[in-house]
Amino acid sequence: MERRKIEIMDTTLRDGEQTSGVSFSISEKLTITQLLLEELHVDRVEIASARVSDGEFNAVKSILVWAEENGYADRIEVLSFVDNGISIDWMANSGVKVQNLLTKGSLNHLTHQLKKTPEQHFAEIKHVIELAQSKGIATNVYLEDWSNGMRNSPEYVYQYLDFITKQPVKRILLPDTLGILTPSETAKFLTELVGRYPGVHFDFHAHNDYDLGTANVLEAVKAGVSGLHLTVNGMGERAGNAAMASAVAVINDFAPEVEIAIKESSIYTVSKLVETFSGVRIPSNKPIVGDNVFTQTAGIHADGDNKNNLYFNDLLPERFGRKREYALGKTSGKANIEKNLQELGLKLNDADLKKVTQRVIELGDKKETVTKEDLPYIISDVLDSSLYEEKVVVESYVLMHAMGLRPSATISVKIDGEKFEENAQGDGQFDAFMNALARVYDKKKRSLPKLIDYAVRIAPGSSSDALCETIITWQTDQKKFITRGLDSDQTVCAIKATQKMLNII
Ligand SMILES: CC(C)C(=O)C(=O)O
């Protein structure tokens, strides 16, 4: 069966830039346009609104220079206005070849905003289209507020379409301007128009106010539209537009009768670039592109992935240039740990795997997530601990750090089953801890090794609440040796490393 081709017009640089607080620079606009056309393979790009500013004029001009040189000029579009040719001059001077003319798609907007009759509006539109033609600019028309028009003034919409379909326009762009349509209304209105005006190219432009953007896009495709407007990361006015990533996945998986040119494997790269340039963070649970959406957290899911991929659906991360991940934390099981170890090229025997899993769960209880980068440190810590017989146990401690007072520590330590309690002050909390410990060892007539080096580091790639590792170098009369401690708290790390030392000397 031959599939029906659908054009994808990306409007990240026009409607997406209407996201509150977002403004792309000239070079960012150019880079995004190049990536959209050459990597993502969108069919058309709407890059700006006419007349906005001098900066926008320069951005449009430089994109058009590049587009002309590379054969893309008729795929670059600019939103323009019915303003007696002012937009046309602006576009002609910047090299634009296609305008998306903003006209009124509801009687409500026409009467209350423009205060014009349909006849006056149509005459002005006709004039602008002719002016554009005379300057070599092709026209698509937007019917702003079209969805309300279909609900409340369908006779006006039909009167408009009867007029416009006789004009030299390439495409008719139908926006759900306020994002109010339900999927069933989208299907009904678009089926109606596609049937009534055969052969006319209709684009659908969804907004996401009720989070129905993607669902409405799917209905529009099924109803027979010829094009869709999408934005990277769903950027756009208010709640944004239908998101490129979700719409593409839904079309590819649920509308096999149509064909789109988008290269799925480039979606993530483009999303990340737009995230950086726009400064708008992608929510971690945003389908396809969010940080967490391909991460299995529960041990039972990771286990199922090993057993005939029981927890996979068609949204395989590799399609979008991503990888499945297995989170480490209190809900992880052995399978999560094993999956991460495989990636690091490590293998543990069953007993060690159990210990490491237990430690990850304990840590997860404290800080909720542990990263893959933490794992080698945890392994070395857990396996290290098993080398020592725990003759000395630091059972409890209170450390105090208060402004204007010397740090102090009270500790309780068990040595060969005998319990000791001491307190001391120090230059810092760990120093106070070591001074209290020295008092305990004095009582036992034993001495402690000298601390000759103390280093702290966090696991690479971790954030400020990461696990840290303290590496302490000790010196006795006979030997120099190192112990390590791992925890999310720096002082606790040092105490853990010290307890290991106490069991070595
Ligand atoms: C400016 C217009 C075209 C728009 O984005 C909309 O109506 O949603």
Side-chain angles (χ1 to χ4, degrees):
M1 180 187 72
E2 200 175 332
R3 294 189 294 160
R4 184 164 57 86
K5 287 207 172 54
I6 293 205
E7 284 183 357
I8 302 295
M9 190 271 259
D10 179 282
T11 181
T12 308
L13 299 177
R14 198 278 297 166
D15 212 332
E17 202 182 27
Q18 287 170 221
T19 307
S20 170
V22 172
S23 169
F24 296 111
S25 70
I26 297 180
S27 65
E28 286 169 347
K29 281 207 164 193
L30 180 60
T31 308
I32 292 174
T33 305
Q34 290 168 337
L35 214 60
L36 288 170
L37 288 164
E38 299 194 317
E39 281 300 318
L40 197 58
H41 300 170
V42 303
D43 298 283
R44 297 146 43 208
V45 188
E46 189 176 52
I47 56 168
S49 299
R51 298 174 53 185
V52 161
S53 66
D54 290 347
E56 202 68 339
F57 179 83
N58 291 331
V60 170
K61 206 167 167 175
S62 61
I63 292 172
L64 261 306
V65 168
W66 169 81
E68 280 288 358
E69 281 167 6
N70 292 278
Y72 292 119
D74 60 349
R75 293 164 64 178
I76 304 287
E77 302 174 1
V78 166
L79 178 77
S80 60
F81 307 97
V82 183
D83 54 8
N84 200 21
I86 306 175
S87 292
I88 300 291
D89 288 342
W90 192 96
M91 288 185 291
N93 291 336
S94 53
V96 173
K97 293 281 172 277
V98 185
Q99 69 163 337
N100 292 339
L101 183 63
L102 189 69
T103 67
K104 291 300 186 189
S106 73
L107 196 57
N108 198 23
H109 267 222
L110 180 66
T111 336
H112 295 106
Q113 197 173 38
L114 296 191
K115 301 192 190 320
K116 301 233 157 109
T117 62
E119 291 68 25
Q120 287 168 325
H121 193 39
F122 300 164
E124 288 175 355
I125 293 169
K126 197 168 167 12
H127 177 56
V128 170
I129 295 172
E130 281 163 8
L131 281 177
Q133 255 189 330
S134 71
K135 306 250 170 155
I137 298 174
T139 300
N140 301 319
V141 284
Y142 268 115
L143 274 71
E144 195 188 11
D145 204 34
W146 162 79
S147 41
N148 260 320
M150 287 302 282
R151 265 190 195 167
N152 304 316
S153 52
E155 327 66 44
Y156 167 74
V157 178
Y158 298 139
Q159 186 190 355
Y160 179 105
L161 289 173
D162 288 346
F163 150 73
I164 204 73
T165 47
K166 296 191 188 82
Q167 305 306 313
V169 299
K170 285 182 90 167
R171 303 177 186 90
I172 296 180
L173 320 177
L174 304 174
D176 178 15
T177 298
L178 298 177
I180 51 162
L181 289 183
T182 62
S184 57
E185 274 179 311
T186 307
K188 180 168 160 252
F189 293 158
L190 290 170
T191 307
E192 162 95 40
L193 294 196
V194 169
R196 202 169 169 129
Y197 299 95
V200 171
H201 179 121
F202 288 114
D203 273 6
F204 177 61
H205 176 109
H207 274 277
N208 214 20
D209 297 64
Y210 284 96
D211 218 358
L212 288 172
T214 311
N216 288 343
V217 158
L218 182 60
E219 292 306 321
V221 168
K222 301 248 170 221
V225 296
S226 309
L228 295 167
H229 298 183
L230 304 172
T231 58
V232 176
N233 301 337
M235 292 177 69
E237 184 99 13
R238 303 180 313 278
N241 292 69
M244 178 70 70
S246 311
V248 167
V250 161
I251 294 166
N252 284 338
D253 291 359
F254 302 128
E257 68 279 18
V258 303
E259 188 181 342
I260 50 176
I262 303 298
K263 196 166 130 209
E264 283 188 339
S265 58
S266 295
I267 284 180
Y268 188 58
T269 318
V270 177
S271 283
K272 291 311 262 184
L273 186 89
V274 168
E275 177 184 47
T276 309
F277 285 177
S278 65
V280 179
R281 293 281 305 173
I282 303 171
S284 59
N285 62 348
K286 179 121 187 128
I288 320 288
V289 292
D291 277 354
N292 293 343
V293 296
F294 293 116
T295 302
Q296 305 278 44
T297 304
I300 188 172
H301 291 171
D303 178 61
D305 288 353
N306 284 336
K307 298 176 179 150
N308 213 14
N309 293 333
L310 290 178
Y311 291 88
F312 279 20
N313 58 19
D314 286 340
L315 284 177
L316 294 178
E318 291 73 19
R319 277 174 58 181
F320 308 99
R322 303 199 60 189
K323 264 193 352 217
R324 189 163 310 279
E325 310 233 350
Y326 295 89
L328 297 166
K330 67 178 172 185
T331 58
S332 355
K334 273 193 329 197
N336 287 53
I337 312 283
E338 267 180 319
K339 291 274 189 193
N340 281 280
L341 289 174
Q342 270 163 20
E343 225 183 282
L344 295 166
L346 298 172
K347 200 163 167 47
L348 293 180
N349 63 37
D350 270 2
D352 288 343
L353 183 61
K354 217 164 152 191
K355 282 186 208 154
V356 171
T357 308
Q358 194 45 43
R359 175 61 68 89
V360 168
I361 292 170
E362 281 162 23
L363 289 164
D365 240 349
K366 277 177 144 178
K367 91 185 246 309
E368 288 188 13
T369 51
V370 179
T371 66
K372 182 168 78 232
E373 287 75 21
D374 293 331
L375 212 48
Y377 295 82
I378 295 172
I379 293 170
S380 105
D381 184 54
V382 169
L383 302 188
D384 241 20
S385 313
S386 60
L387 298 175
Y388 315 115
E389 202 190 330
E390 301 258 300
K391 287 187 178 160
V392 184
V393 182
V394 177
E395 285 198 318
S396 51
Y397 47 83
V398 179
L399 306 176
M400 199 191 71
H401 175 97
M403 198 175 141
L405 294 175
R406 276 204 93 201
S408 65
T410 301
I411 65 171
S412 169
V413 182
K414 216 178 212 172
I415 306 177
D416 293 325
E418 194 182 350
K419 197 170 178 146
F420 297 87
E421 269 188 28
E422 275 299 342
N423 55 61
Q425 293 183 325
D427 292 338
Q429 292 178 77
F430 182 59
D431 190 45
F433 175 90
M434 289 305 290
N435 290 342
L437 193 63
R439 288 186 175 169
V440 171
Y441 271 65
D442 272 354
K443 277 188 187 159
K444 290 284 287 180
K445 308 231 173 320
R446 288 174 63 182
S447 58
L448 290 171
K450 247 169 87 183
L451 185 159
I452 58 169
D453 192 36
Y454 179 105
V456 187
R457 61 181 181 183
I458 62 165
S462 303
S463 55
S464 61
D465 68 344
L467 285 178
C468 61
E469 187 184 45
T470 301
I471 305 149
I472 305 183
T473 311
W474 309 95
Q475 176 85 61
T476 67
D477 290 344
Q478 294 85 33
K479 61 176 177 180
K480 187 159 124 184
F481 62 99
I482 285 174
T483 58
R484 298 162 197 272
L486 188 79
D487 199 271
S488 51
D489 180 290
Q490 233 190 89
T491 313
V492 177
C493 284
I495 292 172
K496 284 182 174 172
T498 305
Q499 170 159 311
K500 282 183 195 160
M501 171 276 283
L502 296 173
N503 285 289
I504 289 175
I505 54 172

